[in-house]
Amino acid sequence: NDIAVAGVWWSGKSSTVPVTVVTQASVDRLGQLAAQCRSWGGPLSAAVYLPLYQQSAGFLSVDNLHILRSAALNVSNLFNFMRSSQ
């Protein structure tokens, strides 16, 4: 059961709000994460979980690699949309 980081999206935007909301979501809940981002006016840190099941350890299967790339693109799109709409 390995856990790996597939990407990090970081905004350099400063905030006057002294509290950061820290949350987690699975990749199928990105809509709810977007709603949380819209409703919170301060900094937010989120971990997005994507379970990938494989027959054996090692490199990702081709199918899982496609799933991971698609999920990372969706997270990137959400990040860029939220950053541009603020």
Side-chain angles (χ1 to χ4, degrees):
N1 294 344
D2 294 338
I3 295 177
V5 175
V8 175
W9 294 264
W10 185 276
S11 172
K13 182 180 175 186
S14 62
S15 175
T16 58
V17 178
V19 176
T20 299
V21 168
V22 178
T23 189
Q24 58 82 31
S26 56
V27 75
D28 62 329
R29 302 278 188 200
L30 291 180
Q32 287 85 345
L33 180 58
Q36 187 174 19
C37 290
R38 284 191 296 273
S39 67
W40 174 245
L44 189 138
S45 176
V48 178
Y49 176 70
L50 174 64
L52 296 173
Y53 304 102
Q54 296 206 142
Q55 294 288 337
S56 61
F59 294 105
L60 288 177
S61 67
V62 172
D63 289 341
N64 279 341
L65 190 56
H66 289 300
I67 292 168
L68 178 61
R69 286 182 179 156
S70 176
L73 180 61
N74 288 337
V75 171
S76 184
N77 288 341
L78 171 61
F79 175 81
N80 290 328
F81 176 76
M82 296 310 300
R83 188 171 56 175
S84 68
S85 66
Q86 295 176 349

